[in-house]
Amino acid sequence: MGVNSFNGILPKSLGNLSASIEIFSADNCDIKGIIPNEIGNMSNLIVLRIEDNELTGTIPGKLGQLRKLQKLRLDVNKLEGSVPVNICNLVNLYLLDLGNNQLSQQLPTCFGILTSLLEIYSDYNSLTSTIPSTLWNNKEIQILSLAHNLLNGSLAPEIGNIKSIRGLYLSGNKFSVDIPSIIGQLQNLENLTLSNNRLQGTIPGNLISLKILDLSKSKLDGVIPKSIEKQLQNLENLTLSNNRLQGTIPQSFGNLILLDLSKNKLDGVIPKSIEKLEYLEYFNVSFNELIGEIPNGWPFKKFTSDFFIGNRELCGASQFKIKSCTGNTTRLSSNTEFLK
């Protein structure tokens, strides 16, 4: 029944369909009210989708009776309260999506026993406390998205247990302390998003499958490793803006499509080797302490002045709205003064 204009409430009589219904889908409608407990009587349900509606109230604990359920989507509603512990009775569940609601309190500690659970989405809620350490016992999880909540504390070393994980999305929380180095052992990780936290430390390396790395709006310091291309061989998007990174920009980044180094304390020149990034669509080094000439080869011809403002003394083409590199101006190394 999904993607229609149905409105009103979910009737309690749905529970009478227990003998026949395996898939119930009423997503993307205009359904209001609460989720009736009687849905828990639909014992043959394999898929339950009621996402993108106007549902309110709490998640009924009776959903834990749906022992055959494999996919549960309640995202994009106005559900509140805590995630019921009875969810952990769904031993066949492989996808759980509770994102974009008003859920609060801590995630159930029993999530670690759901060994069939491959994907967990509970982003854009108000979940508090830390991520239960038991969650890292589920070594089969492939996607964990808890971004934009009120989670705090540190990322436990047990995070290294989930070797199969491909996507880890924890941005917009209150995590602190250092990024655990053991993250570098997650060889299947393709997307690591930890932005807008209070994380410190250095950039994790040796993530050979990583394509997207977002560590912006954190408290990272130190330098960008010169060997970053070798450590992150498949990286396409790198966002390190709004940190405390120092030193020079590495000569090589592989085959990046996006590179954002803005609002740090980087010095030296912009390496001319960046011109070799033929797929680069976005390059931002604004508000650093860079000097020297902005390269003028491809792909710099499509960038605007906004990507370079707020540096110590750059020169380049007129499109960047800065002074031209005239006369005997030379490209200088990172530890020399810019000369005219």
Side-chain angles (χ1 to χ4, degrees):
M1 299 188 296
V3 197
N4 273 295
S5 299
F6 294 120
N7 53 35
I9 63 172
L10 293 173
K12 294 181 179 180
S13 56
L14 283 173
N16 298 332
L17 302 173
S18 58
S20 53
I21 300 297
E22 294 183 347
I23 298 174
F24 181 80
S25 177
D27 59 297
N28 290 271
C29 292
D30 191 25
I31 300 172
K32 296 179 173 63
I34 65 171
I35 302 173
N37 273 320
E38 286 74 10
I39 282 186
N41 296 332
M42 301 172 71
S43 56
N44 286 312
L45 271 185
I46 296 173
V47 174
L48 175 58
R49 295 186 54 180
I50 330 174
E51 79 270 19
D52 207 349
N53 280 287
E54 297 288 329
L55 295 170
T56 56
T58 60
I59 300 173
K62 278 199 171 182
L63 291 185
Q65 297 178 181
L66 304 176
R67 299 300 181 92
K68 296 181 180 180
L69 200 63
Q70 298 178 18
K71 180 186 289 189
L72 175 59
R73 291 197 57 178
L74 303 177
D75 48 302
V76 196
N77 280 289
K78 297 179 180 178
L79 300 171
E80 57 187 15
S82 61
V83 179
V85 175
N86 290 358
I87 291 288
C88 295
N89 294 331
L90 306 178
V91 293
N92 292 301
L93 198 67
Y94 74 84
L95 185 148
L96 174 64
D97 195 340
L98 306 175
N100 283 271
N101 278 289
Q102 299 167 14
L103 301 173
S104 58
Q105 302 182 41
Q106 187 179 19
L107 284 171
T109 57
C110 57
F111 267 17
I113 67 174
L114 294 177
T115 55
S116 62
L117 199 54
L118 303 180
E119 301 180 23
I120 301 175
Y121 304 89
S122 192
D123 46 344
Y124 292 95
N125 279 290
S126 297
L127 299 173
T128 59
S129 191
T130 59
I131 298 176
S133 58
T134 52
L135 182 61
W136 310 123
N137 294 334
N138 186 346
K139 300 179 181 180
E140 303 302 320
I141 291 180
Q142 295 182 10
I143 296 177
L144 176 62
S145 181
L146 301 176
H148 301 284
N149 279 284
L150 301 173
L151 299 168
N152 55 54
S154 58
L155 298 177
E158 289 81 5
I159 195 172
N161 292 339
I162 47 176
K163 306 292 186 184
S164 59
I165 195 163
R166 295 183 290 107
L168 180 59
Y169 307 88
L170 301 177
S171 61
N173 281 287
K174 298 181 179 180
F175 294 114
S176 57
V177 197
D178 287 357
I179 299 173
S181 58
I182 200 165
I183 283 182
Q185 298 182 19
L186 303 178
Q187 300 296 292
N188 292 307
L189 192 61
E190 296 179 3
N191 193 321
L192 176 60
T193 304
L194 302 177
S195 64
N196 199 13
N197 278 287
R198 301 170 182 171
L199 294 168
Q200 306 175 43
T202 57
I203 300 168
N206 300 318
L207 295 169
I208 57 174
S209 299
L210 200 66
K211 294 180 180 179
I212 299 174
L213 175 61
D214 188 350
L215 302 177
S216 61
K217 297 181 180 179
S218 296
K219 295 184 178 180
L220 301 182
D221 51 23
V223 301
I224 303 173
K226 294 182 179 180
S227 58
I228 191 167
E229 178 186 12
K230 294 180 180 179
Q231 294 180 354
L232 306 173
Q233 300 172 16
N234 292 294
L235 200 63
E236 296 177 355
N237 290 16
L238 176 61
T239 305
L240 300 175
S241 60
N242 287 270
N243 278 290
R244 304 169 180 174
L245 297 169
Q246 303 175 25
T248 58
I249 299 174
Q251 293 287 327
S252 182
F253 283 98
N255 293 306
L256 287 182
I257 297 173
L258 181 150
L259 176 58
D260 191 347
L261 305 176
S262 61
K263 297 182 180 179
N264 279 287
K265 298 180 180 179
L266 300 171
D267 56 26
V269 299
I270 300 172
K272 192 170 178 60
S273 56
I274 300 291
E275 293 178 343
K276 298 178 182 179
L277 298 178
E278 57 181 321
Y279 301 111
L280 192 64
E281 294 288 338
Y282 184 93
F283 177 70
N284 194 338
V285 290
S286 60
F287 299 100
N288 279 284
E289 299 176 9
L290 299 170
I291 60 174
E293 182 182 6
I294 298 175
N296 53 20
W298 183 265
F300 285 84
K301 294 186 183 299
K302 57 185 176 181
F303 299 145
T304 65
S305 60
D306 292 341
F307 296 165
F308 303 96
I309 62 173
N311 279 284
R312 195 196 315 175
E313 196 161 1
L314 290 172
C315 67
S318 58
Q319 74 187 73
F320 302 126
K321 299 179 182 179
I322 54 176
K323 68 179 181 180
S324 135
C325 302
T326 58
N328 294 322
T329 299
T330 56
R331 295 181 56 80
L332 305 175
S333 62
S334 61
N335 58 357
T336 61
E337 294 294 329
F338 183 74
L339 301 177
K340 295 182 181 178

